Amino acid sequence: MGATLLCELGLFLLCTLLCTGHTQADKLRATLTAGTTIIPVGGSVTLTCSVQSSDGWKYEWFRRTQTTSEGKIRDQQNRDIRVCEGGIYRCRGKRGNPAYYTDISYDVTIEITFSNKVVVKQQPNWPQIFRGETITLTCEVQEGGETTEWEYEWRGPSTPTQWTHNNDVTFRVSESSSGDYMCKSRRRDDLYSSTEWSEAFTLSASTVKPKAQLTTNSRDVPVAGKVTLNCSVNLSSEWKYFWYRGNKSSEPLTTQDAAPSDGQISVSQEGLYRCRAGRGNPVYYTDYSDPVNIDKNTEPGPENSSFLTPLIVGLVCGILLILLLLLCRFKLSKDSCFKRPQSKNQHSATNHMTKQDETQHISPVQVESEDVTYSLVELKNTTPRKKPKIPEESCVYSDVKIRPSTGKSDPATAHEMVYSGLKPGK
C-alpha cells in the first residue's frame, strides 16, 4: 500500500514538471515593427506591437536611452503608436484577469533627425588635387551647431567609419581616394538623435604630377645688372616656389632675391638655375623645371645704357653752352676794339668835306697803320656843278686817316678822323 502511494506521487510530480516546462517553452513573445527607424525633421514614425495566433490583447510600451533607464510609456495600450523621440523601444501584450503577459519584444532603435544642416568641406580648398597630396575633410554642423557637442560618422569610398568625436579626417590622396564623401552628426548626450546625411562631396585626384615652368627676360647678366627669372605652375593654385642654382641636389636659395612664396626673382650671378613649386603640410613638390643657363655679359646692359645716355647728353650740352659763352665774350671784346673816341676836329672836318662837290671822283687807297687798316680817300675836282641836295639817309660815311703824301706821318694828324659824305654810284 505504501509503495503504491509513493509510485502515484512520483508520477504526479513528473507529469506536473513536464506540463509546466511545456507551458514556459510555448509562452508567446510580442513582435515590434517600425515603418522607418529614422524620424524625419519635424515628423514622427509609427510603431506596431503584435501577438500572433490570438486576439483580445492590450499592449504595454517601454523606452530607454543611453542615459536613462527603461520606463513605461503612459497612456499607451494600443497596438499602434506614433513617436517623435529617438531611443530604444520595446513592447509586450497582456490579457485576462488576472493579466497574462507575453514575453517582451526585441529592441527597435529609433533615431530622430535634427534640422541642423551638415556640409563636407575640404582643407586646403584647392581646385585640383594631385595624388600624393595630404588633405583634410571636415564635417561642419551649421545653424547653431557650434553650441552643441557632436559626434560624427562618415561614408566614403572605403568602409564607413564609426561614430567619433573628431569632425575631420586627414589622409594622403591616392587613386582609391577618389569618390563621394558624406557625413552626419549626433548629439553626444542623445545617441538616438542625429542630423541627416550631408550632400555628397566628390573628390577627384589627378594622377598627372605637375611640372614647373621657368622663363627669363634675358640669359645674359649685364654689367652691374640683373636678370629676372619667373617660375610658374599652370595647374591649380596657392603654390610656393623654390629656387636652385647648380645641381638638383643643392639646397634651395634662401637669399633676399629668392623668397619661397614669390614666383619671380632677380639674379646677378651666372650659373644653371632651376625651380619647382610646393604646397601643403607635409609639402607636396612638383617636378623640377627645365634648367636655364645664365651667363655674364661684359657689354653695358640696357640699364647702364639708360643711365649713361642722359649723362652723355648733359656733358655735350654743357660743352656747347661753354663754347657759346666764350664766343659771345669774344664778339663783345672784338666790337670794343673798333670803337675809338672821336676827336674834336671830326665835326669840323665833316663840315668841310661835305662842302665839296658831291660829284667829285673818289679813288680809295688802302693805308695800313699799326694793327688797324684804314681807307685813305683822295679828293679830286671835276667840273663844278650845282650841288644837288642829297638826302641824309642816302649818305655813306667812311672813316679815313690823313697822312702826308710824302710818306711821313704828321703827329698832329696821325690819329685825326675825317668823315666824308659819299654818294653811291649806280
Side-chain angles (χ1 to χ4, degrees):
M1 184 71 178
T4 304
L5 291 174
L6 289 174
C7 182
E8 290 179 355
L9 181 60
L11 291 174
F12 175 78
L13 292 174
L14 179 62
C15 182
T16 302
L17 290 174
L18 291 175
C19 291
T20 304
H22 176 74
T23 303
Q24 294 294 331
D26 291 344
K27 190 174 182 179
L28 299 176
R29 180 182 293 275
T31 302
L32 176 58
T33 58
T36 178
T37 59
I38 298 177
I39 303 174
V41 177
S44 61
V45 296
T46 301
L47 303 179
T48 301
C49 190
S50 60
V51 178
Q52 295 181 353
S53 306
S54 186
D55 296 325
W57 296 96
K58 292 182 179 180
Y59 300 92
E60 293 181 345
W61 294 90
F62 304 89
R63 174 181 175 269
R64 74 176 187 275
T65 65
Q66 80 279 7
T67 58
T68 61
S69 59
E70 187 174 67
K72 183 178 178 181
I73 302 176
R74 296 180 180 179
D75 302 327
Q76 292 290 347
Q77 296 183 357
N78 297 328
R79 182 173 181 266
D80 299 321
I81 64 171
R82 297 186 67 83
V83 296
C84 56
E85 291 182 301
I88 299 175
Y89 288 84
R90 297 197 299 175
C91 70
R92 68 180 178 179
K94 72 174 184 176
R95 68 179 181 181
N97 189 10
Y100 171 82
Y101 294 95
T102 66
D103 284 342
I104 200 163
S105 67
Y106 296 111
D107 295 347
V108 172
T109 302
I110 300 298
E111 294 182 359
I112 185 173
T113 304
F114 289 124
S115 60
N116 302 78
K117 184 179 180 181
V118 291
V119 293
V120 177
K121 294 185 177 181
Q122 172 190 303
Q123 295 294 334
N125 189 22
W126 298 322
Q128 188 172 5
I129 304 298
F130 300 96
R131 187 169 61 183
E133 290 189 299
T134 301
I135 65 170
T136 299
L137 297 182
T138 303
C139 186
E140 184 176 297
V141 182
Q142 299 180 341
E143 301 175 1
E146 64 277 359
T147 60
T148 305
E149 292 185 344
W150 301 91
E151 289 184 335
Y152 304 89
E153 184 179 6
W154 289 89
R155 284 182 183 174
S158 57
T159 305
T161 62
Q162 300 295 324
W163 287 101
T164 175
H165 290 181
N166 297 324
N167 70 329
D168 54 28
V169 289
T170 301
F171 56 93
R172 189 179 183 207
V173 177
S174 62
E175 189 173 357
S176 61
S177 301
S178 298
D180 293 337
Y181 290 83
M182 295 185 298
C183 74
K184 69 176 181 178
S185 62
R186 68 184 182 187
R187 301 174 66 166
R188 295 186 186 179
D189 59 354
D190 186 359
L191 302 183
Y192 309 104
S193 301
S194 66
T195 65
E196 294 181 325
W197 286 100
S198 67
E199 294 183 359
F201 174 83
T202 302
L203 176 64
S204 178
S206 176
T207 59
V208 178
K209 190 174 185 179
K211 182 177 180 179
Q213 303 294 326
L214 179 59
T215 58
T216 178
N217 62 338
S218 174
R219 291 179 180 266
D220 296 325
V221 179
V223 176
K226 296 181 179 181
V227 297
T228 301
L229 302 177
N230 293 279
C231 190
S232 61
V233 178
N234 296 329
L235 300 175
S236 199
S237 60
E238 297 187 19
W239 297 101
K240 294 182 179 180
Y241 296 92
F242 302 87
W243 302 88
Y244 303 86
R245 183 173 61 245
N247 299 325
K248 291 182 180 180
S249 59
S250 62
E251 292 294 324
L253 299 178
T254 57
T255 62
Q256 295 180 353
D257 292 336
S261 59
D262 192 2
Q264 183 182 92
I265 63 170
S266 296
V267 297
S268 57
Q269 295 183 358
E270 60 183 345
L272 197 65
Y273 288 86
R274 293 182 177 87
C275 74
R276 64 175 176 172
R279 66 182 184 183
N281 185 20
V283 180
Y284 169 83
Y285 292 100
T286 66
D287 285 337
Y288 285 92
S289 68
D290 294 330
V292 171
N293 190 33
I294 302 298
D295 296 324
K296 281 284 188 180
N297 190 358
T298 57
E299 298 179 359
E303 295 180 359
N304 293 335
S305 299
S306 61
F307 172 76
L308 291 176
T309 299
L311 179 61
I312 295 174
V313 172
L315 290 175
V316 172
C317 292
I319 294 173
L320 291 177
L321 182 60
I322 293 173
L323 292 177
L324 183 60
L325 293 175
L326 292 175
L327 182 61
C328 292
R329 185 175 182 83
F330 175 75
K331 184 176 180 182
L332 292 175
S333 62
K334 183 177 180 182
D335 291 342
S336 64
C337 292
F338 285 98
K339 290 181 181 179
R340 303 292 183 182
Q342 296 182 357
S343 64
K344 296 180 180 180
N345 296 330
Q346 283 182 356
H347 182 69
S348 59
T350 302
N351 294 337
H352 174 75
M353 294 301 296
T354 55
K355 292 180 181 179
Q356 300 298 326
D357 192 348
E358 301 299 334
T359 61
Q360 291 179 342
H361 178 69
I362 300 175
S363 57
V365 179
Q366 297 292 332
V367 179
E368 184 174 338
S369 174
E370 296 177 356
D371 58 345
V372 181
T373 303
Y374 299 89
S375 295
L376 180 62
V377 179
E378 183 179 356
L379 303 179
K380 293 184 180 181
N381 292 329
T382 58
T383 305
R385 294 182 182 179
K386 188 175 180 180
K387 181 173 67 173
K389 187 175 181 180
I390 303 175
E392 183 178 355
E393 60 272 7
S394 63
C395 295
V396 178
Y397 296 90
S398 176
D399 293 339
V400 295
K401 183 177 181 182
I402 302 175
R403 70 178 182 179
S405 59
T406 58
K408 225 172 182 184
S409 177
D410 189 356
T413 61
H415 298 286
E416 187 175 356
M417 307 300 292
V418 178
Y419 292 86
S420 175
L422 303 179
K423 182 180 180 181
K426 294 182 180 181

